């Protein structure tokens, strides 16, 4: 079978074959009396069975013609005597099963109504011996009971088959949704990998540029000061001492640059630490190396996903690097709060500030913005020349958990 609009499945096909086999046995064996008439009575049933191998698709006219042929094959044995009407009950059930698969509800009710009317006419058309009143009464009782039983059976079968088909259809829709979700999940995973690769490449380029511009320049200047110290060592000891001190300071700055580069290159910057502890260690190192005062206010009520921890840590790390290099700030204020399903990060300094509309292409700002958008967050910068800078980031933690929950739910169901 390959019906429309609902897909068939093995259970209905097995029921149909069982009913067809029973109808043929009733037609030929009860009682068995070989004759060509017996073969003619079995042929319509066989033809009805063959028709079930392919149900009509789509076209309503084909469905109507198909159903009319079914009615003809069912009613044909009824014209060949009383015994030939015995399997009609089962054949109507077969037709009803098929109608549930090829018609919508309105078409199913039409087939049900026509089946009840035609079966009632067949039962009522049987002759009765009117000379025996008692027999007439019993026959009419049997007719009414038979028609009522047939009606209830068809109605029950209609409801049961529609329930089975609806369950099958719902399951297929759920499987389709799951497949689409899996496909979307894979696409998002591939997109995330591409973003990660791109971010890694940008990070490497930025670090290479910083090493060239920062560490390379510092080491070059240190080499010059060491050479100056060697030159002035015997003739101008004071100048040599000054050069040595400057070389030492440049060495400390170079070491700081190396530590920052190594810290950025770590795959897991937290290394098993809690977010609060990792941020505290980062700020202590920053204060010790730069002398800039840092005040913090961290209130996180529950453990955040690892994606959030890494993103928040990297943004704070990059912000501190930008403040040290460009802002010439004296004080930095960091607030990290979790409230109403969001994680809110605010980083503020009292440095030089800048015009955000004129400075949006730097690796630092671009990287922080991409990290925020990857978690469906909001990224905002408030800064003016000479008035410091304020960075505000909001990440929706509830939406992130809901997305992971739905993916796990579909995987559990199916």
């Amino acid at each position: 079978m390959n019906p429309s609009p609902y897909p068939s499945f093995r259970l209905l096909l097995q029921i149909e074959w069982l009913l067809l086999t029973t109808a043929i046995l009733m037609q030929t064996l009860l009682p068995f009396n070989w004759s060509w008439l017996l073969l003619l009575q079995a042929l319509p049933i066989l033809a009805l069975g063959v028709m079930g191998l392919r149900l009509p698709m789509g076209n309503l006219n084909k469905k109507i013609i198909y159903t009319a042929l079914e009615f003809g094959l069912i009613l044909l044995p009824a014209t060949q005597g009383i015994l030939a009407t015995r399997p009609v009950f089962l054949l109507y059930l077969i037709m009803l099963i098929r109608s549930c698969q090829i018609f919508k509800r309105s078409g199913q009710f039409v087939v049900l109504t026509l089946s009840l009317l035609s079966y009632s006419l067949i039962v009522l058309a049987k002759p009765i011996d009117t000379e025996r009143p008692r027999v007439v009464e019993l026959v009419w009782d049997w007719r009414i009971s038979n028609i009522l039983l047939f009606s209830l059976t068809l109605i029950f079968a209609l409801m049961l088959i529609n329930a089975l088909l609806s369950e099958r259809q719902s399951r297929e829709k759920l499987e389709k949704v799951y497949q689409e979700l899996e496909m979307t999940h894979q696409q998002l995973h591939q997109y995330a990998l591409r973003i990660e690769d791109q971010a890694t490449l940008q990070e490497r380029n930025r670090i290479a540029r910083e090493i060239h511009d920062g560490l390379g320049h510092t080491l070059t200047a240190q080499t010059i000061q060491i050479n100056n110290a060697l030159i002035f060592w015997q003739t101008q000891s004071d100048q040599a001492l000054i050069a040595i001190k400057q070389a030492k300071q440049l060495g400390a700055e170079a070491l700081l640059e190396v530590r920052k580069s190594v810290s950025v290159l770590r795959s897991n910057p937290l290394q098993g630490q809690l977010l609060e502890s990792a941020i505290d260690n980062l700020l202590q190192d920053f204060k010790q190396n730069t002398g800039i005062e840092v005040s913090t206010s961290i209130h996180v009520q529950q453990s955040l996903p690892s994606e959030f921890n890494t993103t928040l840590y990297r943004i704070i790390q990059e912000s501190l690097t930008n403040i040290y290099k460009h802002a010439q700030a004296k004080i930095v204020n960091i607030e990290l709060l979790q409230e109403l399903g969001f994680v809110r990060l605010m980083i503020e300094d009292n440095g030089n500030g800048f015009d955000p509309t004129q400075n949006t292409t730097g690796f630092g700002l671009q990287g922080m913005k991409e990290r925020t958008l990857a978690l469906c967050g909001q990224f905002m910068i408030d800064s003016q020349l000479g008035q410091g800078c304020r960075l505000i980031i909001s990440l929706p933690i509830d939406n992130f958990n809901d997305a992971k929950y739905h993916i796990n739910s579909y995987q559990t169901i199916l």
Side-chain angles (χ1 to χ4, degrees), residues 231-251:
I231 294 173
F232 297 128
W233 177 254
Q234 294 181 349
T235 58
Q236 299 181 27
S237 59
D238 293 338
Q239 291 293 334
L241 182 60
I242 293 174
I244 291 175
K245 289 181 178 180
Q246 290 178 349
K248 179 182 178 182
Q249 178 63 29
L250 290 172

Side-chain angles (χ1 to χ4, degrees), residues 10-23:
R10 186 173 301 176
L11 176 61
L12 292 182
L13 192 60
Q14 291 175 346
I15 293 175
E16 183 176 320
W17 288 346
L18 178 61
L19 294 175
L20 283 170
T21 303
T22 305

Side-chain angles (χ1 to χ4, degrees), residues 18-64:
L18 178 61
L19 294 175
L20 283 170
T21 303
T22 305
I24 292 176
L25 292 176
M26 291 177 63
Q27 189 69 28
T28 58
L29 298 181
L30 298 175
F32 178 76
N33 185 13
W34 169 251
S35 66
W36 289 108
L37 181 62
L38 183 64
L39 181 60
L40 292 176
Q41 291 174 350
L43 283 178
I45 301 177
L46 295 174
L48 186 67
V50 173
M51 289 180 63
L53 297 178
R54 184 173 181 82
L55 301 185
M57 301 288 293
N59 193 311
L60 180 60
N61 292 330
K62 291 183 179 179
K63 295 179 182 180
I64 294 175

Side-chain angles (χ1 to χ4, degrees), residues 279-314:
I279 293 176
D280 184 62
N281 294 334
L282 177 65
L283 297 181
Q284 287 181 7
D285 291 341
F286 176 78
K287 182 178 179 181
Q288 181 179 357
N289 294 326
T290 65
I292 299 175
E293 292 292 332
V294 181
S295 63
T296 60
S297 177
I298 300 178
H299 298 284
V300 179
Q301 300 173 0
Q302 64 184 35
S303 178
L304 298 176
S306 59
E307 295 87 347
F308 278 61
N309 291 335
T310 302
T311 295
L312 293 171
Y313 183 87
R314 288 301 193 193

Side-chain angles (χ1 to χ4, degrees), residues 125-266:
K126 292 180 180 180
I128 305 177
D129 186 1
T130 57
E131 296 181 356
R132 302 172 62 184
R134 180 59 181 169
V135 173
V136 172
E137 182 179 352
L138 292 176
V139 169
W140 276 103
D141 290 341
W142 174 85
R143 287 179 174 180
I144 295 174
S145 300
N146 196 339
I147 292 173
L148 289 177
L149 178 61
F150 178 73
S151 302
L152 292 176
T153 302
L154 286 190
I155 293 173
F156 175 77
L158 180 67
M159 296 173 62
L160 179 60
I161 295 169
N162 278 321
L164 292 174
L165 291 173
S166 297
E167 187 273 338
R168 175 64 177 264
Q169 189 180 28
S170 299
R171 185 172 181 83
E172 288 187 348
K173 286 182 178 179
L174 184 60
E175 290 176 353
K176 184 178 180 180
V177 170
Y178 174 71
Q179 292 174 356
E180 292 176 352
L181 184 62
E182 278 290 320
M183 185 179 300
T184 303
H185 178 67
Q186 293 176 0
Q187 292 174 351
L188 289 175
H189 180 65
Q190 295 175 357
Y191 178 68
L193 291 177
R194 289 198 297 269
I195 291 179
E196 184 178 356
D197 292 339
Q198 184 179 3
T200 301
L201 180 60
Q202 290 181 350
E203 200 79 1
R204 289 175 179 174
N205 292 336
R206 183 180 70 84
I207 294 172
R209 188 185 66 180
E210 289 184 352
I211 291 175
H212 177 271
D213 296 341
L215 183 59
H217 175 76
T218 302
L219 292 177
T220 301
Q222 185 186 43
T223 302
I224 293 173
Q225 294 298 330
I226 292 175
N227 289 333
N228 291 336
L230 293 175
I231 294 173
F232 297 128
W233 177 254
Q234 294 181 349
T235 58
Q236 299 181 27
S237 59
D238 293 338
Q239 291 293 334
L241 182 60
I242 293 174
I244 291 175
K245 289 181 178 180
Q246 290 178 349
K248 179 182 178 182
Q249 178 63 29
L250 290 172
E253 293 178 2
L255 180 60
L256 178 61
E257 291 289 339
V258 171
R259 286 178 176 175
K260 289 180 179 178
S261 299
V262 171
S263 178
V264 171
L265 287 173
R266 288 175 181 168

Side-chain angles (χ1 to χ4, degrees), residues 70-114:
E70 287 184 313
F71 270 109
L73 291 174
I74 293 174
L75 295 176
L76 183 60
T79 62
Q80 301 174 12
I82 296 177
L83 296 179
T85 63
R86 289 178 301 184
V88 169
F89 184 96
L90 302 178
L91 300 181
Y92 274 123
L93 281 177
I94 295 173
M95 185 175 64
L96 184 66
I97 292 175
R98 295 175 183 175
S99 68
C100 290
Q101 299 177 78
I102 66 176
F103 288 112
K104 296 182 179 180
R105 289 298 176 87
S106 57
Q108 296 172 20
F109 284 119
V110 171
V111 174
L112 175 65
T113 302
L114 293 177

